[in-house]
């Protein structure tokens, strides 16, 4: 298996809802990432997990809560989001971010989130 | 502060033509320069990458040219095809202390007309 999968593909939620995004990879990668991408913009890094520990949090609001239950799975819990949080949420993984030749990131297809 | 500047923002090319996208960076600590290709509704995919000790890298119709002294690099797509129509992001990263987290350019929307 050489891909990163994300579910759901699309999500519409109200500002009072709680929902979760799921990302999975079975490539044995030890780093996983969440990015946010607005239309016609580059991806913006949100969180990095390295060896299942949160290593980078790019000052993301607390209404986004990441979780890494195991080395293959990454979740993003959403609560009390704002309409401006509507975006494509991308998950990525890499074999090991510390080593040259093993740091390339593989992206999933994303979850298109709409907050009403 | 935009650490990686990319141009043009959009590019229209005829089938069979050459597409050229340029990027410039400021941080000399960057040591890895990937290009990503993103189709609508999909995540970015690594297309080709180069390290600063190499001035050119070619993979099929895609070539990266790298000018370390000018802190510039570019992507050339030879014999452009309609299937190449996508958004292209250049990026720069550093490791291992920087964990190779890419700093992306703003993107170039390429349209190749049949």
């Amino acid at each position: 298996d050489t891909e990163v999968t994300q579910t759901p593909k699309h999500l519409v939620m109200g500002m009072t809802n709680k929902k979760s995004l799921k990302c999975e990879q079975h490539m044995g990668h030890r780093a996983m990432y969440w990015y946010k991408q607005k239309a016609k913009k580059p991806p913006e890094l949100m969180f990095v997990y390295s060896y299942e520990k949160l290593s980078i949090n790019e000052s993301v609001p607390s209404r986004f809560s990441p979780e890494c239950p195991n080395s293959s799975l990454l979740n993003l819990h959403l609560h009390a989001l704002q309409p401006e949080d509507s975006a494509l949420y991308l998950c990525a993984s890499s074999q090991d971010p510390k080593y040259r030749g093993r740091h390339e990131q593989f992206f999933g297809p994303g979850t298109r989130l709409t907050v009403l | 502060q935009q650490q990686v500047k990319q141009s043009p923002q959009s590019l229209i090319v005829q089938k069979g033509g050459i597409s050229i996208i340029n990027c410039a960076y400021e941080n000399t600590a960057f040591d890895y320069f990937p290009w990503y290709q993103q189709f609508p509704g999909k995540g970015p995919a690594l297309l080709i990458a180069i390290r600063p000790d190499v001035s050119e890298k070619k993979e099929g119709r895609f070539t990266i040219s790298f000018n370390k002294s000018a802190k510039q690099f570019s992507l050339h797509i030879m014999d452009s095809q309609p299937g190449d129509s996508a958004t292209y992001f250049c990026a720069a990263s550093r490791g291992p202390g920087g964990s190779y987290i890419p700093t992306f350019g703003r993107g170039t929307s390429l349209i190749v007309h049949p």
Side-chain angles (χ1 to χ4, degrees):
Chain A
D1 191 345
T2 58
E3 63 175 359
V4 176
T5 59
Q6 289 188 246
T7 54
K9 283 188 168 53
H10 302 274
L11 179 62
V12 179
M13 60 186 290
M15 290 190 283
T16 58
N17 292 157
K18 285 185 182 181
K19 296 286 184 184
S20 297
L21 310 184
K22 180 180 172 181
C23 172
E24 205 159 0
Q25 57 87 13
H26 295 288
M27 296 180 278
H29 289 179
R30 302 314 303 268
M32 296 185 77
Y33 312 76
W34 279 116
Y35 287 85
K36 173 183 177 181
Q37 186 178 30
K38 291 282 212 178
K40 299 188 186 302
K41 299 288 187 184
E44 297 174 33
L45 183 67
M46 300 175 72
F47 303 103
V48 180
Y49 274 83
S50 181
Y51 287 81
E52 298 158 53
K53 290 190 184 342
L54 183 64
S55 60
I56 296 177
N57 176 340
E58 290 288 301
S59 303
V60 179
S62 60
R63 57 186 184 267
F64 295 92
S65 175
E67 179 196 18
C68 188
N70 59 57
S71 60
S72 300
L73 191 55
L74 185 66
N75 297 319
L76 186 62
H77 302 298
L78 315 172
H79 174 54
L81 294 193
Q82 304 296 310
E84 58 265 29
D85 296 322
S86 298
L88 181 68
Y89 287 84
L90 294 162
C91 175
S93 70
S94 67
Q95 191 171 0
D96 192 313
K98 291 188 176 55
Y99 295 100
R100 192 167 162 164
R102 286 187 266 167
H103 61 269
E104 283 85 359
Q105 293 187 12
F106 294 81
F107 285 84
T111 293
R112 175 72 60 189
L113 174 68
T114 302
V115 182
L116 301 176
Chain B
Q1 181 186 2
Q2 187 188 356
Q3 292 198 55
V4 179
K5 295 182 180 179
Q6 182 173 348
S7 63
Q9 190 172 344
S10 61
L11 182 60
I12 299 175
V13 172
Q14 290 297 121
K15 179 181 175 182
I18 302 173
S19 304
I20 301 174
I21 304 171
N22 300 300
C23 286
Y25 64 97
E26 298 182 8
N27 187 348
T28 54
F30 288 138
D31 61 359
Y32 183 72
F33 301 87
W35 284 87
Y36 290 88
Q37 178 188 56
Q38 185 174 24
F39 293 106
K42 303 287 186 184
L46 179 66
L47 186 63
I48 186 172
I50 197 167
R51 299 196 181 280
D53 53 348
V54 175
S55 60
E56 185 175 282
K57 182 174 181 180
K58 183 176 180 180
E59 289 185 1
R61 296 184 293 110
F62 301 90
T63 300
I64 300 179
S65 297
F66 189 86
N67 185 329
K68 187 174 180 179
S69 60
K71 294 187 284 186
Q72 295 175 348
F73 57 111
S74 60
L75 176 69
H76 291 62
I77 306 175
M78 311 300 287
D79 186 27
S80 298
Q81 299 296 311
D84 297 330
S85 298
T87 299
Y88 292 81
F89 294 100
C90 65
S93 64
R94 63 183 183 89
S99 297
Y100 291 106
I101 303 293
T103 297
F104 290 95
R106 287 185 173 172
T108 296
S109 175
L110 171 66
I111 297 173
V112 180
H113 283 312

